[in-house]
């Protein structure tokens, strides 16, 4: 089992930046993939960025060049640095962890943190 706790959301003006953090209750090196997803009002949850246990990253086209996912294995924490924020980035951001246990793939979610971009 993995418990995930996000922090770092808030209100920011367009063009501003925020850094989200996701602390995990186990060594993140043992987690296959960690990622950030977001859900805006009235929309489905969508992938923002992921990072594998090997450090390979993947981004949604809408955030490429603006967002960066990274990790600190010593702190068991994954970060999402968000720059040049746009109004359309407004959403609840969720941290996610995919692990394999007993031959099964398991997915865990954090509670979410609100990011609002508005002037």
């Amino acid at each position: 089992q993995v418990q995930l706790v996000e922090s770092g959301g808030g209100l920011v003006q367009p063009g501003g930046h925020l850094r989200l953090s996701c602390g995990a209750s186990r060594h993140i090196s043992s987690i296959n993939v960690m990622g950030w997803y977001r859900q805006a009002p009235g929309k489905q949850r969508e992938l923002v960025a992921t990072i594998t246990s090997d450090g390979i990253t993947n981004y949604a086209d809408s955030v490429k060049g603006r967002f960066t996912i990274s990790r600190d294995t010593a702190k068991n924490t994954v970060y999402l640095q968000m720059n040049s924020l746009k109004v359309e980035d407004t959403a609840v951001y969720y941290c996610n962890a995919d692990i394999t246990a007993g031959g099964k793939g398991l997915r865990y979610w954090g509670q979410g943190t609100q990011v609002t971009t508005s002037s």
Side-chain angles (χ1 to χ4, degrees), residues 73-117:
T73 54
K75 296 182 178 180
N76 293 323
T77 300
V78 172
Y79 303 99
L80 184 69
Q81 178 67 43
M82 305 185 294
N83 298 329
S84 302
L85 281 161
K86 304 177 181 180
V87 171
E88 51 264 42
D89 294 318
T90 296
V92 178
Y93 283 70
Y94 296 91
C95 180
N96 150 268
D98 290 336
I99 68 170
T100 302
K104 296 182 179 180
L106 301 174
R107 171 163 285 190
Y108 296 91
W109 296 95
Q111 81 286 354
T113 185
Q114 177 71 46
V115 171
T116 302
T117 304

Side-chain angles (χ1 to χ4, degrees), residues 5-10 19-23 36 77-78 80 93 111-113:
V5 179
E6 303 105 330
S7 61
R19 188 177 79 158
L20 305 182
S21 299
C22 173
W36 290 95
T77 300
V78 172
L80 184 69
Y93 283 70
Q111 81 286 354
T113 185

Side-chain angles (χ1 to χ4, degrees), residues 31-111:
I31 298 174
N32 297 337
V33 183
M34 292 192 71
W36 290 95
Y37 288 70
R38 66 186 181 187
Q39 188 167 17
K43 295 187 177 181
Q44 290 188 334
R45 191 171 298 188
E46 62 177 5
L47 180 146
V48 176
T50 59
I51 185 165
T52 70
S53 56
D54 295 328
I56 298 171
T57 59
N58 179 56
Y59 296 92
D61 288 342
S62 59
V63 306
K64 281 181 181 177
R66 299 188 298 121
F67 291 10
T68 302
I69 189 170
S70 63
R71 61 182 183 170
D72 185 333
T73 54
K75 296 182 178 180
N76 293 323
T77 300
V78 172
Y79 303 99
L80 184 69
Q81 178 67 43
M82 305 185 294
N83 298 329
S84 302
L85 281 161
K86 304 177 181 180
V87 171
E88 51 264 42
D89 294 318
T90 296
V92 178
Y93 283 70
Y94 296 91
C95 180
N96 150 268
D98 290 336
I99 68 170
T100 302
K104 296 182 179 180
L106 301 174
R107 171 163 285 190
Y108 296 91
W109 296 95
Q111 81 286 354

